[in-house]
């Protein structure tokens, strides 16, 4: 058996790019590769190498569950470039039988300051039926709380709410006709099950299957403090103000994610758990 080692430049014949000029790279991993942060592959840290040595320096990454996702269901279908419509904000700083998440409250408070007319469901008001009904009437939404995986029954993983779990099964069976963007600030929302690694059974892919165009999710469990910091940095890049009206740009999700992760990587290259778990996925 011969083993060949390729440099990043050999494997990806592209060079380092500025934040707004990077090409897009689609990842469709299979097997054990589905659990890896492929967008973070390479060497990080200082002193910087003479040539870019990490994917994140060369391209913005988007994960897709299958290659067919690159073919729009409807010819001419495109992501909504921007919207001033307020979001649905679901925050669970206090979830029954789960540890408290003060960062989830911080995320909600920040978004409510930017979008005062946002629909806000938290703690006891954030029930399974209330959240699902609110998702039907919003273009975009943010969830801050506990994400749960279930290795024995993967479709039973999901988002923990006041009266139980909004499961992957629930989302996959639903149809979100208006949804264009979702930010899942929770643990392992893009983590599948080791028993069926090729099936892409995750909360993020379930939302895409339900009709949401772009989803920000996480590959593994993340800390409450880090998710709050990362989401604020993300929204500072995604949101602009037009005539005192806040506008979010879902089409900039992959680029903004790369910019945010690179900034944190440059500051803390030895702590990938703080900048590498977050991914962008799309239904295309």
């Amino acid at each position: 058996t011969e083993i060949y080692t390729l440099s990043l430049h050999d494997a990806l014949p592209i060079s380092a790019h500025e934040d707004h000029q990077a090409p897009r790279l689609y990842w469709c991993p299979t097997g054990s590769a589905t659990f890896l942060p492929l967008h973070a592959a390479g060497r990080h840290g200082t002193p910087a190498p003479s040539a870019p040595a990490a994917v994140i320096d060369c391209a913005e990454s988007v994960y897709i569950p299958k290659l067919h996702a690159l073919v729009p269901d409807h010819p001419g279908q495109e992501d909504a470039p921007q919207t001033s419509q307020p979001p649905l904000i679901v925050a669970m700083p206090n979830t029954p039988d789960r540890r408290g998440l003060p960062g989830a409250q911080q995320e909600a408070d920040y978004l409510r300051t930017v979008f005062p007319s946002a629909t806000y469901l938290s703690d006891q008001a954030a029930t399974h039926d209330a959240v699902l009904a609110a998702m039907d009437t919003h273009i975009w939404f943010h969830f801050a709380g506990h994400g749960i995986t279930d290795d024995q029954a993967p479709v039973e993983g999901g988002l923990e709410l006041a009266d139980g779990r909004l499961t992957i099964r629930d989302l996959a069976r639903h149809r979100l006709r208006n949804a264009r963007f979702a930010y899942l600030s929770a643990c392992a929302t893009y983590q599948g099950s080791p028993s069926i690694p090729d099936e892409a059974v995750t909360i993020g892919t379930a939302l895409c299957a339900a009709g949401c165009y772009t989803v920000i999710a996480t590959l593994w469990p993340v800390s409450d403090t880090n998710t709050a910091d990362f989401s604020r940095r993300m929204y500072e890049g995604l949101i602009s103000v037009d005539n005192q009206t806040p506008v979010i740009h879902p089409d900039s999700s992959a680029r903004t994610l790369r910019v945010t992760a690179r900034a944190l990587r440059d500051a803390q290259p030895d702590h990938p758990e703080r900048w590498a778990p977050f991914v962008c996925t799309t239904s295309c």
Side-chain angles (χ1 to χ4, degrees):
T1 301
E2 296 183 60
I3 299 176
Y4 296 91
T5 302
L6 297 177
S7 69
L8 180 66
H9 184 269
D10 293 327
L12 294 175
I14 51 181
S15 57
H17 287 270
E18 296 300 323
D19 291 339
H20 298 287
Q21 299 175 342
R24 175 168 294 184
L25 181 61
Y26 288 95
W27 297 99
C28 188
T30 59
S32 58
T34 59
F35 301 98
L36 300 177
L38 301 177
H39 61 285
R43 298 192 304 273
H44 304 275
T46 55
S50 58
V55 174
I56 197 173
D57 295 309
C58 301
E60 61 183 41
S61 293
V62 174
Y63 287 74
I64 54 175
K66 54 187 177 180
L67 291 178
H68 182 70
L70 294 174
V71 181
D73 291 334
H74 305 287
Q77 176 181 321
E78 297 180 354
D79 187 16
Q82 64 184 48
T83 180
S84 60
Q85 294 195 29
L88 164 66
I89 302 169
V90 180
M92 294 298 298
N94 303 292
T95 304
D97 301 321
R98 301 286 177 183
R99 62 181 176 82
L101 299 174
Q105 189 64 60
Q106 294 172 20
E107 293 178 49
D109 292 344
Y110 169 73
L111 277 177
R112 294 179 73 196
T113 299
V114 179
F115 292 91
S117 57
T119 299
Y120 178 51
L121 297 175
S122 182
D123 290 340
Q124 294 305 311
T127 64
H128 177 284
D129 291 347
V131 169
L132 206 55
M135 290 169 69
D136 284 335
T137 60
H138 286 78
I139 288 180
W140 69 284
F141 32 88
H142 179 94
F143 176 86
H146 286 287
I148 303 297
T149 58
D150 190 326
D151 291 341
Q152 301 303 313
V155 294
E156 297 305 322
L159 304 172
E160 295 288 78
L161 299 173
D163 59 347
R165 188 176 301 170
L166 179 59
T167 67
I168 292 172
R169 186 196 301 274
D170 294 332
L171 293 170
R173 288 177 172 176
H174 205 66
R175 182 60 183 166
L176 298 171
R177 301 187 182 281
N178 301 312
R180 306 303 289 170
F181 176 69
Y183 193 116
L184 303 177
S185 190
C187 290
T189 49
Y190 202 70
Q191 182 184 85
S193 169
S195 62
I196 49 171
D198 293 332
E199 296 301 319
V201 180
T202 73
I203 304 168
T205 52
L207 274 171
C208 286
C212 192
Y213 190 90
T214 301
V215 179
I216 302 297
T218 55
L219 281 171
W220 59 70
V222 287
S223 82
D224 184 48
T225 302
N226 289 343
T227 54
D229 177 57
F230 200 93
S231 69
R232 180 160 189 153
R233 289 170 181 261
M234 278 287 293
Y235 282 120
E236 287 174 350
L238 287 173
I239 297 171
S240 64
V241 178
D242 183 12
N243 281 335
Q244 299 185 329
T245 300
V247 176
I248 189 166
H249 301 261
D251 59 330
S252 298
S253 297
R255 182 175 69 238
T256 303
L257 179 59
R258 173 177 178 260
V259 172
T260 302
R262 285 185 80 199
L264 288 170
R265 185 278 311 267
D266 291 346
Q268 299 179 311
D270 295 331
H271 291 278
E273 75 280 2
R274 299 181 181 177
W275 50 268
F278 305 91
V279 299
C280 177
T281 184
T282 180
S283 62
C284 290

